[in-house]
Amino acid sequence: MSTVNDTKFSFAVFFLTGIPGQKDVHVWISIPFCLMYLISIVGNSVIVFIIKTDPSLHEPMYIFLSILAVTNLSLSISTIPIILGIYLFNSREISLDTCLAQLFSIHFLQCTESSVLLLMAFDRFIVIHDPLRYASVVTLPRIAKMGLVCVLRAVAVVVPLLFLLKRFQYGRANVLSHSCCLHQDVMKMVCSDITVNNIYGLFVKILTMGLDSLLIFLSYVMILKTVMSITSHTESIKAQNTCVSHLFAVIVFYTPEISLSVLHRFGKGSFPLIQILLGYITLLVSPVLNPIVYSMKSKHLHANIIKAFFK
């Protein structure tokens, strides 16, 4: 019996899924994914390059933005090539180890992005609430320490997911409901009780995105109170404009992610097409829109990008 189980485990294969019933137009569907991949790679790379090479942008706000861009860039590289393989070459098969590796990279990067968005919210709160002490509070050494904590937290909460999934036995063929390997999707393919995985997965969501989104909300409540107390209309508008890009990034990131988690846990297989679309929005929209919005709303960054390309 042990040999049979080991064989099932060693040769477990997963099949990724595109959009059901649209196989005849897969090539056409791949076109927007190619455009999104190109925009994400170019946009985030340009932001990182400009911030790295321009000393005037070596400020906390832009350093946080460069970290966010690197995270978005890594997420696009981890997901879109595999999605394109499905639509262009019908390459749906993925081994267990490769699937777990992609699962780790996706959830690690999402957890890191959530942490960075929280740090950016605190940064905006301090610069609006107490601008005179901003330079002494948000220093480069502290940014480095906070960045390290973000990475360590992501590793600490995501690595146990791999061990929890690795200990299970799987069948030889498992059809996933998404084009990428996600924890809530893979654990449904397990041939055993997944109560522990469900509890720990919920704990991770609450500890990371749930807690981060709550703290971001509280930060914006405090920012709003501060902005309302500013008597100068010009200064009030200026303070609000500093938060527009970040608030947009928060909404784009958390709304589909939380919605997808709720559907996976309580939808019981209902609305499969909505789950697939939310999966794409969760993984692809944020890395594509963030560099566009930040480069347009940040006048200093926008000016430096134009200067770099049109010398």
Side-chain angles (χ1 to χ4, degrees), residues 128 131 227 230-242:
I128 292 174
V227 170
I230 298 176
T231 55
S232 172
H233 179 71
T234 303
E235 290 298 322
S236 177
I237 295 297
K238 182 179 178 182
Q240 293 176 43
N241 286 336
T242 62

Side-chain angles (χ1 to χ4, degrees), residues 182-235:
L182 304 175
H183 173 255
Q184 57 265 43
D185 198 17
V186 174
M187 71 178 180
K188 294 178 182 178
M189 304 295 109
V190 174
C191 303
S192 310
D193 180 43
I194 57 172
T195 302
V196 175
N197 287 63
N198 265 319
I199 294 174
Y200 184 74
L202 182 61
F203 168 76
V204 168
K205 285 293 181 184
I206 294 174
L207 180 64
T208 56
M209 296 187 183
L211 180 61
D212 292 349
S213 59
L214 176 61
L215 293 176
I216 290 173
F217 173 75
L218 294 176
S219 298
Y220 271 97
V221 170
M222 299 300 293
I223 288 173
L224 184 61
K225 288 179 62 178
T226 304
V227 170
M228 295 294 289
S229 65
I230 298 176
T231 55
S232 172
H233 179 71
T234 303
E235 290 298 322

Side-chain angles (χ1 to χ4, degrees), residues 4 12 27 54 69 100 106 114 142 164 196 199 202 265 276 284:
V4 173
V27 174
D54 190 342
L100 292 181
I106 290 174
S114 179
R142 284 179 180 170
L164 289 173
V196 175
I199 294 174
L202 182 61
R265 295 186 180 281
I276 292 171
L284 307 179

Side-chain angles (χ1 to χ4, degrees), residues 132-145:
L132 296 179
R133 296 183 57 214
Y134 176 75
S136 61
V137 173
V138 186
T139 61
L140 293 182
R142 284 179 180 170
I143 292 175
K145 291 177 183 178

Side-chain angles (χ1 to χ4, degrees), residues 7 29 44 50 54 65 71 80 84 91 118 132 138 165 174 214 253 274-275 280 282:
T7 301
I29 295 175
N44 288 294
I50 294 296
D54 190 342
L65 178 57
T71 304
I80 299 184
L84 288 175
S91 177
L118 175 59
L132 296 179
V138 186
L165 291 172
N174 309 276
L214 176 61
F253 177 75
I274 295 179
Q275 289 189 20
Y280 285 134
T282 299

Side-chain angles (χ1 to χ4, degrees), residues 19 178 256 260 272-283 285:
I19 299 178
H178 292 282
L260 183 62
L273 182 59
I274 295 179
Q275 289 189 20
I276 292 171
L277 294 178
L278 280 175
Y280 285 134
I281 294 173
T282 299
L283 297 174
V285 172

